[in-house]
Amino acid sequence: MKQKILVVLFTVSLLAIVPAVYLLSQEPDPAIVSKVEEIKAKLIAAENPDGRSDAAALVREIDGSADSVVEVLRSASRGAPTKVKAYFARERFLLGDRTAAIGDLVDVVATETAAGAPADTVKMESAVMLARVCAGFRDVLRAPLRRMIVDRPINDVELKIVLCLALWKSSQDTAAIDELKKYLDSSNSRYANLSAMMLAEIGYLDNDKVRDILSRLKNEPTDRGALAQQLLKRDRQELRIFVENYQASGRDPDELDVNTSVLDVVMREIGLKYVHEDLTARARLERESAIYMARALDPYSEFLDAAIKSEIEASANKEGWLGVSVGIKGARYLLLQVTPGSPADLAGLRPLDLINKISTVPDRDFPNLSLRQVGAALHGIVGEQITLTIFRVEWMRSREITLTFVRQEQPEAKSSELPGGLLLFAPGSISKENADALKSKIETETRGVILDLRHVIAGDVEGVVAFADLFIGKEIRVASSFGRNDEVCPDEKFDTKDDAAFAGKVVCLIDADTANAAEMLAAAISENGRGKAVGIRTFGLSIIQREFPMNSEAGSSLRLTIGSYFTPKGTEIFDNGVAPDFEQAPRIWRDGIYELVDEIRKKNLHREYYASLGEENQPKLLEVLKQEGVGSLDPANYPGFDEWLRGTGILPESFYREDVSDELAQSILKDRWCVLLLVRKLLRHELLGALWYDLADDLILARGIVIILGELGETVDGFAEYRHYPRALETYKMTRNFIMETRHH
């Protein structure tokens, strides 16, 4: 049982998602009190940890404000059995009542246990919770934890070992280290193993006893063995970088005119004076210095040793795919690309969503991963699941999103003729082959080309020039590059080679996941006055990189940015991106709506809705889903949708109350319509998978069509498919402003 709890300590996220609901009353609802008492009775009756966890999870289903639920849980905890107090404290922590909940968990752990009595599962799970969430609670935790560990030690040794981790993580108290070291030599192997795992988590991997125990445990075919392997990877190899590199190049390291006095002094002072000697091994400090030295240059430069490179390569060879690429901004990992129709897209993920956690990566390791390691972690085995903890600027809290790996589809060029003589073309990647494919699609009656560069990060400069040749005149600057010197990366200028093949109007659709060659192409078309860029600012990742081997035997390497690309007007694209000529944000949702739709997706409730229509109405719905005009968004064309939605029980009954203000009624109605739009998206993907664009509800595409028709001297009024665009764009603009202002306040 302790082994299972230990794995939970490192791998299970405790930041549960609590659905947002409408606040119709500031006072606790009697229904909440009744529900909590019912849950309390179930907790008392439960005889095993799973039963108690199931009962506590029911708290998250209570329809009421967080403050109201917290107050009732507090009241119900007073004088209650220990297991009720513990589980309610955990739920209160998740609801925001953190300091008081921490205090209750400490009280639970401190409850006297008779010597020789069996381990108390509730107390152990409470200790695990403390170790997971203790950061930032030094003032609350240091005194009581020291009392239980040092002053008046508790009887349960395994419980005390877990509390040592909580003491160290909350206050860096060296008493925790000293106490854990005592048990490394214990004749009780359970105590020795557990203390070694705790010390490794703290960072004591240079301790020989810790490494010996982990080396033995790593061969176990258990979760504990897997965890031991992960902990050992933190200190894999000694660092041999700069001298080896110069020796490999035939140069004498003594000839280097490098002042390393500052680094030498820092390492010497750390080695002589730092409190924990086990952490000061020079090989360890040199390795970490090399890693962070490279990262200090830019997020994409990195030092990789052989073990990490092998790990990355092994993950990259897995066929499981989520449809995302990863970038970094301001030391935060985020989604750079979300492929339409991929698992990530259908789950509602978007470019620029921040990744706070990955379920397959220990929490402690995640902030220290390189960008390529994070990307590798997002590959897996087809059919397996992974949970990402995601945060978005429009949300009020992080959310856990569970995705299933599918087999990756190679990006390919797609095109479609649209009403009004328009050609929509999504290249997939910026290559000469795809430029030739676009040229073959352009016909004499084509009046305008909409180049969809969203979700495009692959390509090269040759492809940029080939696409530019279709639209820009001969010998016109497309891009330029700058390098440190001619030996490593010479400066280059890239100009068009042929006369323009198409004289009609051009619009480029761009988004936050437009990067590399795609954003170079958007800048070339926009800055040369050949077309308009519509959407939001691109990612800003047009750089030249090269990998330099450090030692052929060790297999380590240094990946450096050696050059950067510039727009025709001389603006560096890296970290700046390309700004649109006409800004249009994609649709965003109020955060509570996202939770509702995520539940629909996980439980496949949208399929139940389709099945409920019966054989008579199912063909009619298919025709509605195929429509490219406003009819596809009309709730009247989705028979029985409101009744079905209410019957699922995923919406609080407050969504259907009639005794509310007109303003709230309109808000509720709009939210139900938003759920319909996202259910529509899921059904379109499953029933009409070949449709790769959405004329009815793609706001960036809608804005692009409005602009290109304006360039052609026309309006959307003459086209049934486009007629709803102006109203939709204006309505969404007001809604988005309201959401962003609400988040700001």
Side-chain angles (χ1 to χ4, degrees):
M1 185 276 294
K2 294 292 171 60
Q3 184 187 116
K4 179 180 179 182
I5 291 173
L6 181 63
V7 174
V8 170
L9 175 62
F10 291 97
T11 61
V12 176
S13 169
L14 295 172
L15 297 177
I17 297 171
V18 183
V21 297
Y22 285 99
L23 297 182
L24 299 177
S25 172
Q26 295 300 319
E27 296 296 328
D29 192 323
I32 297 178
V33 177
S34 174
K35 185 67 174 178
V36 168
E37 289 300 322
E38 177 188 344
I39 295 171
K40 181 176 177 180
K42 290 183 178 180
L43 281 170
I44 294 173
E47 297 179 355
N48 58 76
D50 291 336
R52 292 195 295 272
S53 297
D54 291 343
L58 294 174
V59 173
R60 302 170 203 169
E61 300 179 7
I62 296 177
D63 181 14
S65 72
D67 291 342
S68 299
V69 175
V70 163
E71 190 58 39
V72 176
L73 290 176
R74 277 187 181 181
S75 177
S77 298
R78 297 186 187 107
T82 301
K83 57 185 175 182
V84 173
K85 189 174 184 179
Y87 280 90
F88 279 4
R90 182 170 63 182
E91 298 307 314
R92 282 165 42 213
F93 184 93
L94 299 175
L95 287 165
D97 186 29
R98 297 189 174 188
T99 302
I102 288 283
D104 278 2
L105 288 171
V106 170
D107 291 343
V108 168
V109 174
T111 305
E112 290 294 335
T113 301
D120 188 320
T121 302
V122 173
K123 291 173 64 175
M124 178 59 80
E125 291 178 347
S126 298
V128 168
M129 177 75 174
L130 287 174
R132 285 287 292 110
V133 302
C134 60
F137 292 94
R138 174 190 173 94
D139 295 340
V140 180
L141 287 173
R142 188 168 188 264
L145 289 179
R146 275 189 65 91
R147 188 163 52 248
M148 288 185 280
I149 294 170
V150 180
D151 301 334
R152 295 196 298 273
I154 57 178
N155 296 321
D156 188 333
V157 175
E158 293 183 57
L159 184 64
K160 182 164 64 171
I161 289 174
V162 174
L163 291 178
C164 284
L165 179 61
L167 177 60
W168 172 261
K169 292 177 70 175
S170 63
S171 57
Q172 282 71 56
D173 192 323
T174 55
I177 304 293
D178 296 338
E179 195 68 25
L180 288 172
K181 285 182 177 179
K182 292 179 183 178
Y183 293 106
L184 286 177
D185 295 320
S186 172
S187 58
N188 187 319
S189 62
R190 292 168 65 92
Y191 300 164
N193 293 342
L194 188 57
S195 61
M197 300 286 263
M198 297 298 103
L199 285 167
E201 169 65 14
I202 289 171
Y204 265 65
L205 282 164
D206 290 322
N207 184 291
D208 291 340
K209 292 179 181 177
V210 172
R211 294 184 65 83
D212 288 345
I213 291 174
L214 292 183
S215 297
R216 173 170 48 79
L217 295 179
K218 74 175 183 179
N219 297 317
E220 291 183 355
T222 62
D223 289 340
R224 184 174 68 175
L227 183 57
Q229 290 181 29
Q230 292 175 347
L231 291 170
L232 282 169
K233 289 178 182 178
R234 294 182 182 171
D235 195 26
R236 282 173 282 259
Q237 297 186 357
E238 293 185 356
L239 182 63
R240 307 178 187 92
I241 299 181
F242 298 102
V243 170
E244 292 177 350
N245 188 36
Y246 276 85
Q247 287 175 336
S249 64
R251 298 170 64 180
D252 185 350
D254 294 334
E255 296 177 359
L256 292 177
D257 183 17
V258 179
N259 180 4
T260 61
S261 58
V262 174
L263 189 60
D264 288 340
V265 169
V266 170
M267 285 195 174
R268 183 177 68 248
E269 292 298 297
I270 290 174
L272 293 175
K273 300 176 181 177
Y274 184 68
V275 59
H276 301 301
E277 184 179 353
D278 291 347
L279 298 178
T280 63
R282 187 173 182 86
R284 180 179 184 276
L285 294 178
E286 287 179 344
R287 177 181 180 276
E288 296 298 317
S289 297
I291 290 173
Y292 288 101
M293 197 181 302
R295 291 185 189 177
L297 302 173
D298 65 64
Y300 303 95
S301 295
E302 56 186 345
F303 165 75
L304 296 173
D305 65 21
I308 295 178
K309 286 180 66 178
S310 176
E311 182 182 308
I312 291 173
E313 291 168 0
S315 295
N317 290 330
K318 294 178 180 177
E319 294 184 337
W321 175 75
L322 301 176
V324 297
S325 296
V326 186
I328 189 167
K329 289 278 189 182
R332 298 290 300 276
Y333 298 114
L334 45 76
L335 300 182
L336 166 58
Q337 178 193 38
V338 179
T339 303
S342 66
D345 177 50
L346 295 177
L349 299 186
R350 279 184 29 208
L352 299 188
D353 282 350
L354 295 172
I355 308 172
N356 287 344
K357 292 182 184 179
I358 300 176
S359 61
T360 55
V361 178
D363 291 351
R364 179 187 173 95
D365 287 353
F366 183 72
N368 300 319
L369 296 183
S370 71
L371 185 64
R372 286 204 288 174
Q373 284 177 290
V374 174
L378 298 179
H379 284 78
I381 298 173
V382 175
E384 290 190 351
Q385 290 189 326
I386 188 171
T387 299
L388 309 182
T389 303
I390 298 292
F391 180 75
R392 182 179 300 170
V393 67
E394 297 91 0
W395 292 349
M396 299 181 69
R397 65 179 73 87
S398 298
R399 308 209 181 306
E400 289 185 341
I401 312 298
T402 300
L403 305 172
T404 302
F405 288 107
V406 299
R407 201 171 305 280
Q408 181 173 2
E409 297 180 4
Q410 295 300 319
E412 58 181 19
K414 300 175 182 177
S415 65
S416 182
E417 295 180 3
L418 304 182
L422 307 180
L423 175 65
L424 176 63
F425 187 83
S429 64
I430 307 302
S431 64
K432 187 178 184 306
E433 293 74 19
N434 286 337
D436 292 339
L438 172 56
K439 186 176 182 180
S440 69
K441 297 289 183 181
I442 296 175
E443 301 178 355
T444 54
E445 59 267 23
T446 301
R447 305 164 65 209
V449 170
I450 301 176
L451 196 57
D452 192 350
L453 300 179
R454 297 172 296 175
H455 328 298
V456 180
I457 63 174
D460 51 39
V461 181
E462 181 186 11
V464 174
V465 173
F467 270 96
D469 277 339
L470 300 178
F471 308 115
I472 304 172
K474 189 175 183 179
E475 297 180 354
I476 302 295
R477 181 63 36 83
V478 172
S480 59
S481 67
F482 168 78
R484 177 73 173 270
N485 55 58
D486 289 344
E487 180 181 348
V488 177
C489 180
D491 297 350
E492 291 190 72
K493 295 177 173 56
F494 306 97
D495 298 339
T496 52
K497 301 175 182 178
D498 300 318
D499 292 328
F502 177 68
K505 303 299 181 181
V506 181
V507 160
C508 296
L509 307 183
I510 59 175
D511 202 343
D513 58 353
T514 303
N516 297 318
E519 54 192 337
M520 292 166 62
L521 176 57
I525 291 174
S526 175
E527 291 190 1
N528 282 303
R530 187 58 188 87
K532 305 297 184 184
V534 179
I536 61 176
R537 185 179 292 273
T538 65
F539 189 80
L541 182 61
S542 293
I543 55 177
I544 306 168
Q545 287 201 302
R546 183 175 164 190
E547 194 160 317
F548 300 91
M550 295 290 99
N551 182 282
S552 58
E553 294 181 2
S556 59
S557 64
L558 187 63
R559 186 180 183 88
L560 289 177
T561 301
I562 59 172
S564 187
Y565 288 105
F566 292 75
T567 71
K569 292 186 177 180
T571 301
E572 185 174 15
I573 298 174
F574 176 62
D575 219 23
N576 293 312
V578 175
D581 298 299
F582 294 91
E583 185 172 2
Q584 175 60 55
R587 188 182 294 281
I588 60 174
W589 311 98
R590 186 179 65 75
D591 46 0
I593 294 301
Y594 179 85
E595 293 172 347
L596 298 174
V597 174
D598 194 47
E599 186 171 355
I600 291 173
R601 178 184 65 88
K602 289 179 179 178
K603 296 180 178 179
N604 290 316
L605 297 180
H606 56 290
R607 298 179 185 173
E608 291 184 12
Y609 168 65
Y610 181 70
S612 72
L613 296 178
E615 295 182 0
E616 180 181 351
N617 287 319
Q618 285 177 355
K620 296 178 182 178
L621 181 63
L622 284 176
E623 292 305 313
V624 171
L625 295 175
K626 292 178 183 178
Q627 288 182 24
E628 296 180 337
V630 69
S632 185
L633 309 179
D634 188 349
N637 290 328
Y638 292 78
F641 183 81
D642 268 348
E643 293 78 4
W644 165 81
L645 187 60
R646 187 172 189 176
T648 63
I650 66 170
L651 289 177
E653 279 302 308
S654 56
F655 270 75
Y656 301 97
R657 287 182 58 171
E658 298 180 358
D659 57 335
V660 295
S661 65
D662 291 342
E663 182 179 358
L664 183 55
Q666 287 297 318
S667 176
I668 291 174
L669 187 63
K670 184 182 294 182
D671 281 347
R672 293 211 300 265
W673 181 71
C674 291
V675 174
L676 183 145
L677 291 189
L678 290 169
V679 169
R680 168 184 176 270
K681 179 177 180 178
L682 293 172
L683 289 174
R684 277 171 59 90
H685 172 75
E686 293 194 12
L687 302 177
L688 309 170
L691 296 180
W692 59 276
Y693 64 93
D694 188 353
L695 277 185
D697 194 41
D698 184 338
L699 297 182
I700 294 180
L701 175 57
R703 187 73 184 275
I705 290 174
V706 170
I707 289 168
I708 200 168
L709 287 177
E711 294 279 322
L712 292 168
E714 297 188 30
T715 68
V716 296
D717 294 338
F719 303 91
E721 297 85 354
Y722 309 149
R723 201 171 293 144
H724 66 291
Y725 284 171
R727 181 181 177 186
L729 293 170
E730 183 59 29
T731 301
Y732 178 67
K733 180 180 179 182
M734 292 188 293
T735 303
R736 183 176 187 273
N737 289 342
F738 171 76
I739 292 174
M740 296 306 293
E741 288 172 9
T742 303
R743 293 293 170 267
H744 174 71
H745 292 306

